Amino acid sequence: MNITVNGEQRSASNGTTISQLLDELQIPQTRVAVEINLEIAPKATYGQRTLQDGDRIEIVHFVGGG
Amino acid sequence: MAPGKLTIAGREFNSRLMVGTGKYATNEQMVAALEASGAEIITVAVRRVNLAEMGKGCMLDFIDPKKYTLLPNTAACYTAEDAIRTCRLAREAGLSDMVKLEVLGDEKTLFPDNEELLKAAKVLVAEGFTVLPYCSDDVILCKKLEQLGCAAVMPLAAPIGSGLGIRNPYNLKIIMEAVSVPVIVDAGVGTASDAALAMELGCDGILMNTAIAGAKDPIAMARAMKLGVEAGRLAFEAGRIPKKLYATASSPLTDIIGS
């Protein structure tokens, strides 16, 4: 299936969870937030929530700012 | 004697100086500047994870979460909708309800869009956020933000990053009289005397980034700002003498030699 992560098209295997995606991208789960189709995915759901074809995913974190 | 504490939404802070974490040459320099500033609240921005650069570590790896309260901002948001979305993401990422809400109106001035700001503040307060809004130095606006339930108001001293200093001390004075939440000057200061002046006026705190990060020696400037804020606050608490046009002698006027 195809998903969009932070504006980039990617392919992912069916049944991929948020946790698996983050692991694959080498993104530590602490201090990030994940939004799927404009809805925030609570951290507690990362292990169970599976991604669907066409999902638009935003993964954000904190950077320097004023 | 140390200056009194700053209380925001029931939380006490010893330092009245809040600093940003942007624009430093290196993370090491940022850490040293934060340390020198004595700040307990530091602002951060919320951005997409750069997928190409993962594994290189991020800026938060350098910051001790026990030492600092992170204050995520909504920089670069131009609508209430974007700012609200950013705050929700920040809460999920950082597990804290405190946000620096800014909704900008224009890229050239980075002045706030106060109409959108009010809209966003209303929604965020209802969602349980502790909202610290960056706003114009307008007393009516600040009163509205307070009425909506914002935990402080953060009027600008001058445009963000301009270093112009406290452009309208009288407006700040009026705001301080009109609201009972903390008044925190946000943006526009250039040097330590600007910070001292804001505090001498009675502002509860001051937030800055460029004035420190953009200085030739950011670590020295961070310390200068810390001292400026402390000196200004102490002077405010001490109660300055009134200004007068003519002299008053400091030495006794009696028993003068030859009289």
Side-chain angles (χ1 to χ4, degrees):
Chain A
M1 63 176 181
N2 289 311
I3 55 174
T4 307
V5 183
N6 288 359
E8 284 175 30
Q9 289 270 354
R10 296 179 67 88
S11 60
S13 28
N14 286 336
T16 301
T17 62
I18 298 174
S19 283
Q20 286 165 342
L21 176 71
L22 292 172
D23 287 349
E24 204 177 295
L25 294 168
Q26 294 182 290
I27 298 172
Q29 297 194 9
T30 52
R31 303 279 179 92
V32 295
V34 177
E35 197 189 62
I36 301 177
N37 304 325
L38 299 177
E39 253 180 55
I40 290 175
K43 277 205 166 70
T45 65
Y46 288 2
Q48 304 93 53
R49 169 95 183 250
T50 54
L51 302 172
Q52 307 299 315
D53 188 43
D55 274 351
R56 284 176 298 114
I57 299 144
E58 291 285 338
I59 307 169
V60 302
H61 67 163
F62 294 128
V63 300
Chain B
M1 173 193 165
K5 292 183 180 196
L6 167 66
T7 306
I8 301 173
R11 294 179 61 181
E12 279 196 347
F13 300 94
N14 291 309
S15 173
R16 290 174 180 272
L17 173 59
M18 306 174 193
V19 297
T21 54
K23 295 187 179 175
Y24 286 97
T26 62
N27 283 321
E28 289 75 12
Q29 187 190 57
M30 172 191 73
V31 170
L34 295 182
E35 180 73 37
S37 76
E40 292 163 296
I41 300 176
I42 59 172
T43 60
V44 291
V46 180
R47 290 289 179 274
R48 277 178 166 171
V49 170
N50 185 335
L51 300 179
E53 287 185 8
M54 275 328 288
K56 287 189 186 170
C58 69
M59 159 251 182
L60 275 194
D61 297 340
F62 292 83
I63 288 167
D64 180 357
K66 287 188 214 85
K67 207 162 160 185
Y68 298 105
T69 297
L70 292 185
L71 180 62
N73 69 27
T74 61
C77 290
Y78 284 83
T79 63
E81 197 187 347
D82 282 349
I84 293 165
R85 184 181 176 197
T86 303
C87 289
R88 289 173 181 156
L89 284 166
R91 173 153 70 181
E92 186 59 30
L95 307 171
S96 157
D97 289 329
M98 197 155 79
V99 288
K100 171 183 161 178
L101 177 63
E102 50 183 300
V103 187
L104 303 174
D106 157 284
E107 280 176 26
K108 193 170 178 184
T109 61
L110 299 178
F111 281 145
D113 182 331
N114 296 306
E115 201 182 339
E116 291 292 302
L117 181 70
L118 288 166
K119 264 198 256 172
K122 194 173 179 184
V123 172
L124 292 166
V125 168
E127 291 185 13
F129 283 93
T130 298
V131 179
L132 312 182
Y134 156 71
C135 59
S136 301
D137 59 348
D138 177 315
V139 67
I140 309 302
L141 171 73
C142 288
K143 280 164 73 173
K144 286 184 182 177
L145 288 164
E146 180 182 36
Q147 280 159 14
L148 285 177
C150 291
V153 291
M154 305 210 291
L156 53 84
I160 294 173
S162 69
L164 288 172
I166 313 297
R167 298 324 303 149
N168 200 334
Y170 305 105
N171 270 18
L172 293 176
K173 278 288 228 194
I174 294 171
I175 292 167
M176 282 180 273
E177 274 187 27
V179 302
S180 49
V181 291
V183 177
I184 297 161
V185 165
D186 182 5
V189 299
T191 189
S193 55
D194 296 335
L197 174 58
M199 300 315 291
E200 284 172 8
L201 288 170
C203 293
D204 298 279
I206 187 160
L207 198 167
M208 63 181 77
N209 188 349
T210 307
I212 295 175
K216 210 178 271 177
D217 182 343
I219 299 158
M221 186 57 91
R223 179 161 160 72
M225 290 298 188
K226 172 190 159 80
L227 296 172
V229 167
E230 282 179 9
R233 181 66 194 185
L234 272 177
F236 170 73
E237 289 177 7
R240 61 153 297 153
I241 59 163
K243 290 180 184 178
K244 290 186 302 182
L245 197 53
Y246 293 101
T248 313
S250 304
S251 305
L253 296 175
T254 53
D255 301 325
I256 293 167
I257 300 159
S259 62

